[in-house]
Amino acid sequence: MAHHKEERTLVIIKPDGIQRGLIGELIGRYERLGLKLVALKMLVPTEQMIEEHYTLDPEWRRVTGEKTIKGYKDRGLPPPSEDPLAITAVILENLKKYMTSGPVIAMVWEGAHAVELVRKVTGGTEPRSAVPGTIRGDFVPDSYVMSDQDSRAIRNLIHASGTVAEAEMEIKHWFKPEDIIAYRVLLHEATLYEPELKGILG
Ligand code: GDP
Ligand code: MG
């Protein structure tokens, strides 16, 4: 089994994160966790890439549809359909519009418990109920009542893989193996003062 410190997760700064001028702040949150950035690119995703991304897990359509129906009922509202797949078809269309509306930044972060720690710092999917101190809890006021009313995806700044298995599939979907850089982070002092920066790739 690979060492815990080699765990990797995919993070995407969604179009609203870039439009809000939060790139540095968001990257800083993961960097200060002690995780290592091992791949990064900016791109405007295609609708096909987004559909494939969300359906890498064949269960995602059913699980997300069922969760959304429960969410409506918990709020005392009738769901627009009792069919989970019909619900997810709408969510997916909205996600495609949202995620292709501008550039995004896709990143791979590596380190101990990367998947779990990134999710913790990112916060729950719905910003309105995300805990203060998390990214979604601190930087964005969106809610399902509002996004559903306006027939759009919830704007929550970040995508972060949910499990180690999901992370492995998602990283393969967004990056070629050669885009991911194996390197060591030398002691801060050496990085600041060592004249030749020897050893970073060694
Ligand atoms: P994430 O991993 O925190 O992004 O959440 P999920 O993987 O469960 O869902 C992916 C995306 O589907 C979210 O970012 C939302 O856009 C959408 N979604 C998930 N759950 C709901 C819901 O209950 N209602 C609505 N309207 N959209 C949802
Ligand atoms: Mg997810």
Side-chain angles (χ1 to χ4, degrees):
M1 189 188 122
H3 192 276
H4 284 296
K5 71 182 184 192
E6 290 162 18
E7 187 171 306
R8 288 175 174 173
T9 191
L10 180 85
V11 175
I12 300 174
I13 302 180
K14 294 180 176 180
D16 50 334
I18 292 173
Q19 294 303 312
R20 296 271 312 274
L22 289 172
I23 297 169
E25 172 75 39
L26 298 176
I27 289 179
R29 293 248 168 164
Y30 302 118
E31 195 174 32
R32 79 184 188 189
L33 264 177
L35 297 176
K36 181 165 66 173
L37 183 61
V38 294
L40 173 140
K41 66 179 166 191
M42 183 182 241
L43 71 158
V44 180
T46 61
E47 291 199 358
Q48 188 187 343
M49 283 181 75
I50 297 306
E51 172 146 358
E52 285 170 3
H53 166 84
Y54 281 105
T55 54
L56 286 168
D57 172 3
E59 289 295 290
W60 183 83
R61 288 178 197 261
R62 184 182 59 77
V63 171
T64 305
E66 285 171 358
K67 196 184 90 180
T68 307
I69 290 171
K70 185 176 176 300
Y72 273 97
K73 291 185 175 167
D74 289 349
R75 302 200 302 266
L77 298 170
S81 164
E82 290 287 345
D83 174 7
L85 298 185
I87 300 261
T88 332
V90 174
I91 289 180
L92 205 48
E93 281 313 302
N94 289 337
L95 280 167
K96 285 197 257 181
K97 275 189 220 148
Y98 170 35
M99 293 295 287
T100 63
S101 65
V104 305
I105 292 177
M107 299 173 277
V108 180
W109 287 91
E110 182 182 286
H113 313 294
V115 171
E116 186 183 320
L117 294 180
V118 162
R119 289 283 280 202
K120 188 169 69 165
V121 163
T122 302
T125 307
E126 186 197 33
R128 180 188 185 182
S129 48
V131 172
T134 65
I135 290 168
R136 288 163 171 169
D138 279 356
F139 290 110
V140 63
D142 210 2
S143 64
Y144 286 137
V145 272
M146 188 162 65
S147 65
D148 288 348
Q149 185 182 13
D150 292 345
S151 307
R152 60 168 176 78
I154 195 137
R155 293 185 186 145
N156 59 11
L157 301 174
I158 292 285
H159 166 78
S161 307
T163 63
V164 172
E166 194 175 281
E168 280 169 12
M169 288 190 287
E170 291 181 352
I171 289 168
K172 277 201 197 108
H173 181 60
W174 288 87
F175 289 94
K176 298 188 205 115
E178 62 267 30
D179 292 336
I180 302 173
I181 299 177
Y183 69 101
R184 290 188 297 149
V185 183
L186 302 179
L187 291 175
H188 290 188
E189 215 175 302
T191 303
L192 287 174
Y193 302 119
E194 208 278 325
E196 298 196 21
L197 288 174
K198 276 188 183 156
I200 293 177
L201 297 171

